[in-house]
Amino acid sequence: MRLSTYVLPVSSFAIAGVLSIVAAGFAVTLVEDASEAAVTEQFQTAGLTWASVDATGLQVYLFGTAPTEAARFRALSNAGQVVDAARVIDQMDVVDTQDLAPPKFSMEILRNDSGVSLIGLVPKGAKHDEMVSRMGRIVGKENVADLMETAEHAVPEGWDAAMRFALEALTRLPRSKISVEPARVHVTAMADSEDERIKTEAALLKAVPETVRVELAISAPRPVITPFTLRYVIEEAGGSFDVCSADTDQARQRILDAADAAQGRIRGTECRVGLGVPTKRWAEAAELSIAALDTLGGGTVTMTDTEISMIVPEGTDQDLFDQTVGELENGLPPVFDLTAVLPETPAANDDGPPEFVATLSPEGQVLLRGRVSSEMTRQTAESYAKAAFASGAVRTTARVDENLPGGWPVRVLAAIEALSYLANGAVTVTPDEVRITGRTGSEGASAAMAALMTEKLGERAEFIIDVEYVEALDPLAALPTPEECLSRIETVLGDRKLSFEPGSNTLDAAGKDILDDIAEVLGGCGQINLEIAGHTDSQGRESMNLELSQARADAILTELRNRRVLTSTFRAKGYGETQPIESNDTEEGREANRRIEFRLQQVETEDEGESELENTEESVEEDGASGTEDAADE
């Protein structure tokens, strides 16, 4: 009986344990099946048909090959929505991807008066750093905003060539936007003038690499035209413009259409569009004037601001002339003032005093009319006038009269030579006298013409000189002062730098372009006492720096002389490292000390006991080549 007491409890516990194990097994199986079924259903709903599920106990294993990394994370996320994410075991793979496509390199360069901004993605490396450094030399390091990102990837074909051209364009265009892609550059810019636009476009087109596609969109402000002038001539060969101005493209086209409707255009088809038109009805007045000239059968019409001058050929019917001029006067806008001239035709048997007249207009047009003694005299006079004035500006209507007094050819040629002293005016030759009238910009013109008449015609010759000196026409009086010239050089230079090839006295490409602009300024300054001073930093030996500074100053003088600048009053002097303007202890200071200076010179009077030239404090400082390069070369 004692044994049964122990057996019953033990049996009860054994049966309970077996039942618990069986129940646990059924529970685990139930959980596994439920988890697997729930996750599988979620995958089907989400379209993740590539993924499979296997549940083992409480853990849920995910298998399959995901097409992308994103798809794999999506499967994990969907599984975590059905079961606890901690139970999910990731056994999935991802399809191997091909090599990544190279990045699309591109850059935007924006330059204005405040500096340069760089935006875009470019290849990482030394060339990128060199590019930024070069831009710093163009506008100053502190004025370069580098907002570019870099990528370590092979440089695409055509990128380096495109960047070289972009830097060339940036150097020439201080207000520009340059877009760079491999083998392609688009330039949008504003030039200072139409001439500068044409010059810059031509220079850039010459520099385009063969492998780079370049698009240029350079614009220029319209020039101020003063005086606002138009001159149209109708001759036997047809009509032509000597000069043409218009205020808009539409007005320009109206004027050209009027010429085409008249006698056409045999040359001078271009018509400048600019500012300064005296009235918005300029094109209307031009149309009416050209049409009237065509009706009269020939001649010239000149419009200068609001003044219109019309000259028609000798022999034009008087009634037709009066009617046409009257209609033109009534049709012109009120602001215009018309002067029309019909030269009188001498009678065939006219034995009255003959005359020869040579006139020079303010626009530079020369008209030879009247009488000459022979065809050879007429040809000689015309050739002589073309040599003295612009060949295309000379027009001859003189007729041959064999009954002229002796010495007439000499008087005709003397008249043409005297005309060359005038800015505008006329010389009239008659058997009794030579009369010279007009305006000149030379104070000694009257004396020179008097000497000419005496030499060519003899001491007893009668001549009258009624010439007015106008200071505004004097080219010497109009020249700027030396200080103004120096100021103009400074304006032209702006923030640019003269630069040389490393360690040499040879200007680099950018330096030559800058010197072209300086030469243009100096060409309009006349003779000024100018010193070209070369300076270096303190790197390297003092004697070598002195020689290098002198060589570079001499090179600037030579380059200016090659550009046809009068340099007889210039001198070049090298100062080496003796006149620093900044400390040589820093790279910035050394860079400032490497420079070319343009200075005015003043000759000391003998009373002051000095005969040497001293420099004024006023100067323009420019950067030379790198002092570090100089030291390395030495």
Side-chain angles (χ1 to χ4, degrees):
M1 294 299 294
R2 189 175 182 83
L3 180 61
S4 61
T5 303
Y6 291 99
V7 171
L8 186 57
V10 172
S11 300
S12 299
F13 279 111
I15 294 171
V18 172
L19 293 175
S20 298
I21 292 173
V22 172
F26 279 113
V28 169
T29 301
L30 183 61
V31 171
E32 289 176 350
D33 293 343
S35 299
E36 184 174 332
V39 174
T40 300
E41 181 180 0
Q42 179 67 19
F43 282 177
Q44 293 295 330
T45 302
L48 303 172
T49 57
W50 53 268
S52 60
V53 183
D54 184 21
T56 302
L58 295 179
Q59 295 180 326
V60 178
Y61 292 85
L62 305 183
F63 299 94
T65 302
T68 63
E69 190 69 26
R72 184 178 73 84
F73 281 108
R74 185 181 172 202
L76 288 172
S77 177
N78 275 270
Q81 295 176 13
V82 178
V83 299
D84 188 353
R87 294 168 54 196
V88 178
I89 306 300
D90 181 11
Q91 296 292 329
M92 295 178 290
D93 297 322
V94 180
V95 175
D96 292 336
T97 59
Q98 299 178 349
D99 294 337
L100 293 175
K104 184 179 179 180
F105 291 119
S106 64
M107 181 171 62
E108 296 282 344
I109 307 175
L110 306 176
R111 183 182 180 188
N112 52 36
D113 295 338
S114 61
V116 172
S117 298
L118 310 175
I119 305 171
L121 177 65
V122 298
K124 186 176 182 179
K127 289 187 177 180
H128 165 66
D129 299 334
E130 179 183 350
M131 174 195 66
V132 176
S133 176
R134 181 175 174 183
M135 291 183 182
R137 292 196 295 271
I138 295 173
V139 301
K141 293 181 179 179
E142 69 281 2
N143 296 322
V144 177
D146 185 1
L147 307 177
M148 293 185 295
E149 297 181 357
T150 59
E152 292 187 357
H153 200 280
V155 178
E157 184 177 358
W159 176 262
D160 288 340
M163 281 305 308
R164 285 194 297 271
F165 179 81
L167 289 173
E168 177 69 19
L170 184 73
T171 302
R172 295 178 177 273
L173 298 167
R175 292 176 296 279
S176 57
K177 173 187 175 184
I178 304 174
S179 302
V180 185
E181 295 179 4
R184 180 180 178 274
V185 178
H186 181 83
V187 178
T188 303
M190 173 68 76
D192 291 333
S193 64
E194 182 65 17
D195 291 342
E196 183 67 20
R197 181 190 70 80
I198 295 173
K199 178 181 176 182
T200 302
E201 279 191 352
L204 290 178
L205 289 175
K206 289 182 180 179
V208 174
E210 294 182 359
T211 58
V212 178
R213 177 187 173 190
V214 172
E215 300 173 9
L216 298 179
I218 304 175
S219 58
R222 291 182 175 178
V224 177
I225 302 175
T226 178
F228 218 76
T229 307
L230 179 148
R231 179 180 171 85
Y232 185 68
V233 181
I234 296 180
E235 300 173 309
E236 293 181 1
S240 63
F241 284 105
D242 289 333
V243 62
C244 180
S245 305
D247 57 323
T248 65
D249 292 331
Q250 293 79 5
R252 172 185 177 276
Q253 192 58 49
R254 288 176 60 184
I255 294 172
L256 297 181
D257 289 344
D260 287 335
Q263 295 291 325
R265 291 172 282 147
I266 58 176
R267 67 179 186 274
T269 58
E270 292 303 319
C271 196
R272 284 201 308 165
V273 177
L275 305 175
V277 65
T279 171
K280 292 297 184 182
R281 301 179 67 182
W282 171 269
E284 178 186 350
E287 289 174 322
L288 294 171
S289 300
I290 292 172
L293 194 68
D294 182 42
T295 301
L296 292 169
T300 64
V301 59
T302 304
M303 299 175 61
T304 304
D305 290 331
T306 59
E307 300 291 330
I308 300 179
S309 173
M310 179 178 291
I311 302 176
V312 300
E314 293 178 359
T316 301
D317 183 78
Q318 184 69 53
D319 292 338
L320 177 62
F321 176 78
D322 293 338
Q323 179 182 347
T324 304
V325 171
E327 292 175 351
L328 178 59
E329 287 180 335
N330 293 326
L332 285 172
V335 69
F336 288 97
D337 182 21
L338 172 65
T339 300
V341 177
L342 173 58
E344 294 183 1
T345 302
N349 60 352
D350 183 11
D351 294 329
E355 70 174 14
F356 171 84
V357 182
T359 60
L360 173 63
S361 72
E363 297 80 24
Q365 302 297 315
V366 176
L367 175 63
L368 307 180
R369 62 181 181 86
R371 304 188 198 184
V372 292
S373 58
S374 65
E375 180 62 30
M376 180 175 291
T377 301
R378 179 163 60 185
Q379 293 178 2
T380 301
E382 184 174 10
S383 299
Y384 194 56
K386 288 182 177 180
F389 305 94
S391 178
V394 177
R395 181 167 173 259
T396 302
T397 61
R399 65 186 182 91
V400 176
D401 183 353
E402 296 179 353
N403 299 318
L404 295 173
W408 193 263
V410 175
R411 298 167 76 85
V412 167
L413 295 180
I416 296 174
E417 186 172 353
L419 190 68
S420 65
Y421 287 93
L422 302 178
N424 62 279
V427 182
T428 303
V429 177
T430 65
D432 298 328
E433 66 180 18
V434 175
R435 178 180 294 272
I436 305 171
T437 60
R439 303 193 305 167
T440 180
S442 172
E443 290 185 287
S446 295
M449 287 185 286
L452 173 67
M453 292 293 105
T454 301
E455 177 186 355
K456 299 295 183 182
L457 308 182
E459 294 182 355
R460 296 184 179 182
E462 293 287 338
F463 56 87
I464 299 173
I465 299 176
D466 183 13
V467 174
E468 176 188 5
Y469 168 72
V470 180
E471 184 176 359
L473 299 175
D474 191 339
L476 295 178
L479 289 177
T481 65
E483 290 76 14
E484 289 173 337
C485 284
L486 201 63
S487 177
R488 291 181 184 182
I489 294 176
E490 184 176 12
T491 301
V492 165
L493 288 170
D495 53 8
R496 297 183 296 174
K497 303 284 186 180
L498 275 174
S499 53
F500 294 81
E501 297 292 344
S504 76
N505 63 340
T506 302
L507 282 167
D508 61 17
K512 291 179 180 178
D513 291 339
I514 295 173
L515 206 60
D516 286 341
D517 296 336
I518 295 176
E520 184 175 352
V521 171
L522 291 174
C525 288
Q527 291 189 334
I528 62 173
N529 294 319
L530 187 71
E531 180 183 84
I532 304 166
H535 301 272
T536 67
D537 60 20
S538 61
Q539 300 293 303
R541 295 192 300 275
E542 183 176 354
S543 60
M544 294 295 290
N545 286 336
L546 183 61
E547 292 177 4
L548 181 60
S549 65
Q550 182 64 52
R552 287 180 171 173
D554 289 336
I556 296 296
L557 183 62
T558 300
E559 290 289 343
L560 289 174
R561 188 178 297 118
N562 292 339
R563 288 163 172 79
R564 299 184 181 275
V565 176
L566 297 177
T567 59
S568 59
T569 56
F570 294 7
R571 77 168 182 178
K573 182 173 179 60
Y575 291 91
E577 60 188 68
T578 61
Q579 295 183 5
I581 58 175
E582 298 289 346
S583 171
N584 280 306
D585 296 334
T586 65
E587 177 57 34
E588 291 76 10
R590 290 191 293 271
E591 182 177 356
N593 290 331
R594 298 189 293 266
R595 68 197 188 276
I596 291 291
E597 290 180 351
F598 295 91
R599 302 170 173 172
L600 295 181
Q601 304 176 98
Q602 292 181 340
V603 180
E604 296 295 334
T605 63
E606 294 182 359
D607 293 339
E608 294 171 336
E610 296 181 1
S611 61
E612 295 184 351
L613 298 174
E614 294 187 354
N615 303 320
T616 65
E617 295 181 357
E618 187 174 8
S619 65
V620 179
E621 300 176 3
E622 289 303 303
D623 182 48
S626 168
T628 302
E629 293 169 342
D630 300 342
D633 288 347
E634 292 168 4

